[in-house]
Amino acid sequence: MEQQATLHASDEHFDPVGAKIGMWLFIFTEILLFGALFIVYTVYRYRHPVEFHLAHQELNVTIGFINTVILLISSATVAMSITALQTGDKKKTQLFLMLTLVLAFAFLVNKYFEWGAKFHHGIYPGSDFLLNLSHGDILFFGLYFFMTGLHALHIIVGIVFLLWALVRVNQGRVHKDKYVFLENGGLYWHLVDLIWIFLFPLFYLIH
Amino acid sequence: MNEHKTHISSYGSHLLVLLILITLTVVTVAITSVQLGAFNTTAAMIIASTKAAIVLLYFMHLKFDDKIFRFMVTLVLAIYAVVIVITFFDYLYR
């Protein structure tokens, strides 16, 4: 309790560089988590090149492309919200953050329709249709659902993180001279974008 | 505390970075329909890595931040690269 009191009482222990290093360390664990999954993907694709190529044709490149662009734009808007806050423009900070949240939500809506269409065709983990396909197909769709699902989970966490940052901006607790919380939220959001940058060509664009 | 001034990226620079990233995305989709054999996957990965580097340097601000961040990220990526090399050596020559 005493610790919390001092935190609120003054900002003398406020250390933005330390806070950012902490965020980066967390990001490294995420990179290694997805990195391991990418290695698993590569090995299975190497073993089942034909099945992976055929199975990927089930995926909708257009939706994948739209979602890629949505995430790229949202990364830019969150970066712009930090620029706005650094220049002391609270209104624009809020605007850009809300725009980012809308885009994040749009990504999830797309994902919902995309997955919905797969489920409709009987393609979901453990479905009878899928289990009758070859080993390579099962692996492809297993990895597809697991990796894009895990990524979607990160989108949801990112939405919560940025929503929290928005609330703190509204309250004036994150402001021009103390914005590392928003910076860290931005870093997390860019990480989500970073992962998708690799997921998109690997799942949607197999030649 | 922090003596050196913080770098503030302009809206214009973020917009420019965004346009480059979207262009690269269009290129990577377009290149899929071109017959390049094994180079298709390589090209897709080169483009994805370029996009990732741009996001890391500009959006994630590594280009302008303290050197310690760039050092840490490079170190982690190097470790990941080593893991990849060891895994595939083991896998291919087992």
Side-chain angles (χ1 to χ4, degrees):
Chain A
M1 290 304 111
E2 203 181 325
Q3 202 179 6
Q4 210 157 15
T6 43
L7 270 177
H8 286 292
S10 81
D11 283 344
E12 61 180 313
H13 298 299
F14 177 61
D15 176 8
V17 176
K20 225 158 132 180
I21 288 178
M23 190 66 211
W24 271 108
L25 288 177
F26 172 66
I27 285 176
F28 294 154
T29 69
E30 296 273 26
I31 289 176
L32 294 179
L33 166 68
F34 276 93
L37 287 169
F38 281 122
I39 294 178
V40 171
Y41 167 94
T42 310
V43 169
Y44 283 138
R45 178 164 159 188
Y46 180 75
R47 291 185 64 166
H48 307 275
V50 179
E51 288 94 331
F52 266 52
H53 183 251
L54 288 176
H56 109 279
Q57 290 171 345
E58 287 292 322
L59 302 189
N60 189 330
V61 180
T62 313
I63 292 193
F65 176 74
I66 291 171
N67 264 352
T68 307
V69 174
I70 286 177
L71 272 195
L72 290 175
I73 297 174
S74 74
S75 250
T77 54
V78 84
M80 286 176 182
S81 81
I82 293 168
T83 301
L85 195 62
Q86 284 171 327
T87 50
D89 194 336
K90 188 173 168 181
K91 272 243 155 54
K92 264 193 191 153
T93 310
Q94 292 162 322
L95 191 78
F96 279 126
L97 270 178
M98 280 188 266
L99 203 59
T100 310
L101 289 165
V102 169
L103 289 164
F105 192 70
F107 180 93
L108 285 180
V109 170
N110 268 342
K111 198 96 252 170
Y112 169 80
F113 283 113
E114 194 189 2
W115 275 31
K118 295 279 162 307
F119 288 6
H120 189 70
H121 290 122
I123 302 172
Y124 51 88
S127 72
D128 294 334
F129 177 77
L130 198 57
L131 291 180
N132 283 324
L133 295 176
S134 72
H135 195 51
D137 290 301
I138 297 172
L139 284 170
F140 178 84
F141 284 111
L143 284 168
Y144 163 74
F145 281 117
F146 185 70
M147 289 176 80
T148 60
L150 191 62
H151 178 263
L153 204 62
H154 281 76
I155 296 266
I156 294 168
V157 173
I159 289 177
V160 174
F161 200 157
L162 291 179
L163 208 56
W164 190 7
L166 180 59
V167 168
R168 293 184 70 145
V169 169
N170 291 346
Q171 291 171 338
R173 289 168 69 190
V174 170
H175 52 77
K176 189 178 185 298
D177 302 311
K178 191 181 171 186
Y179 52 82
V180 72
F181 191 87
L182 179 62
E183 262 189 315
N184 282 349
L187 282 177
Y188 188 82
W189 192 252
H190 296 311
L191 166 78
V192 172
D193 187 21
L194 215 56
I195 295 164
W196 186 260
I197 283 175
F198 286 97
L199 285 179
F200 174 60
L202 287 179
F203 282 103
Y204 295 79
L205 300 178
I206 301 177
H207 185 74
Chain B
M1 220 170 63
N2 237 345
E3 289 302 320
H4 52 263
K5 59 179 186 339
T6 39
H7 173 274
I8 300 177
S9 310
S10 66
Y11 296 116
S13 69
H14 287 318
L15 208 60
L16 181 68
V17 170
L18 174 63
L19 287 177
I20 293 171
L21 288 172
I22 291 178
T23 309
L24 285 173
T25 309
V26 173
V27 170
T28 197
V29 172
I31 219 167
T32 314
S33 52
V34 184
Q35 199 71 40
L36 293 171
F39 187 67
N40 274 108
T41 309
T42 317
M45 283 304 98
I46 289 172
I47 294 174
S49 304
T50 311
K51 283 166 73 183
I54 293 173
V55 169
L56 281 165
L57 285 172
Y58 292 93
F59 283 166
M60 295 175 97
H61 227 246
L62 282 182
K63 189 166 189 252
F64 314 105
D65 262 336
D66 283 347
K67 279 198 179 66
I68 178 77
F69 294 107
R70 235 179 303 171
F71 173 73
M72 292 197 314
V73 173
T74 312
L75 190 67
V76 168
L77 293 182
I79 292 171
Y80 181 53
V82 169
V83 171
I84 290 178
V85 170
I86 291 176
T87 306
F88 286 99
F89 259 111
D90 180 43
Y91 188 75
L92 297 174
Y93 300 106
R94 191 185 284 244

